[in-house]
Every structure is written in C-alpha cells, then in structure tokens.
Amino acid sequence: MELLQLQYFIAVARLEHMTEAARSLHVTQSSLSKTIQRLEESLGVPLFDRTGRQLRLNAFGSRFLLRAERALFELEQGKQELGELSDRMEGTLKLAMTTASTLPGILKAFREKRPSVHFHAQMANLTEMIALLRRGEVDFCITSPPVEEEDIHCEIVFVDPFVLAVPKGHRLADRDSVSLEELRDEWFVGVKKGYGTRDFLDVVCDAAGFAPRYVYEGNEPARLSALVEADIGVAFMPGTARYPQANVRYLRLEDAGLTREIALLWHRSRYLSQAALDFREVVLAYFEAQSDHSFRA
C-alpha cells in the first residue's frame, strides 16, 4: 500500500466523483481510476459501489476512510514536529471560528508576541470546524457554543454576557440596564434563524412571554451596530461584540442566564508547535483580561 494511494482514495471518497477528484488532484482520470483499483486489489475488497459513472462509498470504504485520514493526520503531525525540531520553519498557525468579534484583539496580541509566525483564519460552522480539526487542516477553533466530541479538547475560555444595543435618543438610552419584559413592543435587528445566538435568544424571549419582532434579519453580525445607529431597531449583542460608537448605547440585560460560552478547541492527538502553544496562552490571557473588565454601557 502506497501513500499516494491513500491520498487519492481520500480525495475520491470525499467527492464521490472520479472526474472532480482527478481535477482536484491535477491527474488524469484514467490514472486515478487505476490507482484506486490497485488499492482495492491490495485490500481484497471494493471500497465504492459503482453505478455507471456514479460512485458511492460503501461500508468497506467508510470504515477504511477513517483509518486513512487518521494515518495521513499522524504523518502530517510528524512532519510538523520534525520541521520545528530542525528549526527550519517559523511556523504557520491556522484558525477557524464561528465568532469573529474577538479575533482582531487576539491576533494583534499574538502578532506582538510572535511577529514571525504566519496565520490564516476562516469562518466556519460547527460541523465544518470539527471536520477541519479532524483532518489536521486547522490548529485551533474559537466557537460559541462549545462542542463535546471524544477526540476534540474543548476549553471554555469566556462567559460572554448579552447586552441590548439601542440608538441614541431611544426611550431606553438613558438607562444602564433593562429587563426582557420591557422589550416586548420593540422592533429588532438581528441575524437569521439557525445562528446559535439567535436561536438561544428566541427561546429566552419566548419564555419571557413574547417573540421579538424583527425588521431586519441577516447573516453579518458585524452590521448590527450600524443598523442600530441608523435607528432601524434595537439588537441583542454579545458583550464582546460592542463597538465604541457615539450614537449607540449598550444596556445590561437584567435577566439571569443571558450569556454565551466561548470555547477554544483543538484535536487531542494533534502535535502543538511552540507557535500553537504561544497562541493558546495569548487566547487565555486575552479572555482573562476581558473577565477583569467591568461592564460599561
């Protein structure tokens, strides 16, 4: 069994399409087909069900895919470890996140500590993040809500209180805090259903006896402050997402339990370079500093 066979098999298994897999690997389709055929012959079982040009991973293939991905994962970890030991590389840090509001502060602090380390960050949903971690394509994920997976280490780094953003001149703008009961007649701007924070807050408001009336629902949380400032509506926002704007006031929500947990994730079997260990220290220090700051509207 050859390493190239495993790499080709994983590509075909993920796409379940020989032509697309050949294109992604930059090889001919005939060469790819022969490589997969030799792998199946060496294993003694078919890995795919074939119907014409259609491929479907069968039970043998599904089981073998887990092993193949794990094998390549371990080889990649060994490559990184040897690279660091030989001091031939400063390192590259790869991140994925569901929440980006804290990213600028974290990356600024990390760049000050390790200016020679390159980094790449991407937005992803929870399912995508777990897949990226398991394939070894990212070092860490920053997410809310946390996840529970046997092979993923999940460390809660911050409990983030929700606040209410209101425009200057709003009837509540001179207040420091507000209860949910007082918001039943307000118009809201927010993210669409399916976002963890939106779904959580809808449930909380329902328990308080009302459903928020949304005049705007989008998929860009960073736009909410600008919409509030334009007096389009009020908004529930995580405390870490507050921006210093003269025409927006942030009020503490008096109801208990209106918080979200932010977690740092990494694969339990992944080799953590010194750059990765330094990044973890930066994240922990950043959120510890956030915890020390009292709420300011």
Side-chain angles (χ1 to χ4, degrees):
M1 189 182 304
E2 302 172 0
L3 179 60
L4 188 65
Q5 291 176 329
L6 294 182
Q7 293 171 330
Y8 283 12
F9 163 68
I10 290 173
V12 176
R14 288 175 181 170
L15 295 171
E16 292 189 327
H17 196 288
M18 195 67 73
T19 302
E20 292 183 8
R23 187 180 299 116
S24 71
L25 293 166
H26 305 291
V27 299
T28 64
Q29 185 172 335
S30 60
S31 174
L32 180 58
S33 297
K34 290 177 182 177
T35 301
I36 297 299
Q37 184 178 356
R38 288 196 300 269
L39 176 61
E40 290 178 318
E41 289 172 354
S42 69
L43 293 172
V45 294
L47 300 172
F48 299 92
D49 293 330
R50 294 168 171 82
T51 305
R53 294 186 177 182
Q54 297 296 316
L55 290 178
R56 290 291 181 270
L57 203 63
N58 61 25
F60 295 121
S62 296
R63 184 67 63 87
F64 188 67
L65 177 61
L66 296 175
R67 299 290 185 179
E69 289 184 325
R70 185 178 301 174
L72 291 187
F73 176 87
E74 290 298 331
L75 289 173
E76 181 62 28
Q77 301 311 295
K79 178 182 176 182
Q80 291 188 24
E81 186 173 359
L82 292 177
E84 182 165 304
L85 289 174
S86 64
D87 200 29
R88 291 187 306 220
M89 52 188 290
E90 284 292 339
T92 299
L93 193 73
K94 296 182 179 181
L95 316 171
M97 66 216 68
T98 58
T99 174
S101 60
T102 60
L103 188 62
I106 290 172
L107 292 186
K108 181 177 183 294
F110 180 65
R111 175 163 280 176
E112 290 173 352
K113 184 169 186 174
R114 293 294 299 271
S116 60
V117 176
H118 301 287
F119 55 78
H120 177 268
Q122 61 179 300
M123 294 294 293
N125 61 39
L126 283 173
T127 301
E128 292 168 339
M129 287 198 310
I130 296 302
L132 289 169
L133 282 173
R134 286 177 172 158
R135 295 200 298 264
E137 296 180 14
V138 296
D139 299 285
F140 293 104
C141 295
I142 299 175
T143 177
S144 180
V147 300
E148 293 185 9
E149 297 286 343
E150 184 176 348
D151 55 343
I152 305 298
H153 185 93
C154 176
E155 182 170 357
I156 306 298
V157 293
F158 191 62
V159 178
D160 194 11
F162 283 100
V163 298
L164 182 75
V166 302
K168 185 177 181 181
H170 188 274
R171 66 182 181 88
L172 299 171
D174 293 331
R175 300 265 299 273
D176 293 325
S177 65
V178 65
S179 68
L180 287 178
E181 174 64 27
E182 297 175 89
L183 304 178
R184 60 174 59 249
D185 296 324
E186 293 292 333
W187 288 100
F188 285 82
V189 296
V191 293
K192 296 177 180 178
K193 287 183 179 293
Y195 281 77
T197 54
R198 164 67 187 272
D199 295 342
F200 167 73
L201 289 165
D202 280 355
V203 170
V204 169
C205 289
D206 182 68
F210 74 100
R213 300 181 299 169
Y214 284 94
V215 68
Y216 170 88
E217 298 173 86
N219 54 11
E220 299 179 49
R223 291 181 59 88
L224 297 184
S225 284
L227 290 168
V228 171
E229 187 176 22
D231 203 10
I232 305 301
V234 302
F236 291 121
M237 297 179 62
T240 53
R242 288 177 289 153
Y243 293 98
Q245 291 172 280
N247 295 321
V248 176
R249 288 273 294 162
Y250 298 98
L251 283 63
R252 179 173 54 84
L253 291 165
E254 298 169 357
D255 305 74
L258 287 176
T259 61
R260 67 168 181 168
E261 292 181 318
I262 299 177
L264 182 67
L265 310 180
W266 66 92
H267 198 288
R268 293 186 185 277
S269 299
R270 185 174 180 82
Y271 168 74
L272 294 181
S273 66
Q274 187 58 50
L277 293 173
D278 288 344
F279 178 79
R280 187 171 65 183
E281 287 184 7
V282 166
V283 171
L284 295 176
Y286 174 86
F287 283 110
E288 183 178 357
Q290 292 291 314
S291 299
D292 291 339
H293 293 164
S294 59
F295 175 84
R296 294 183 180 90

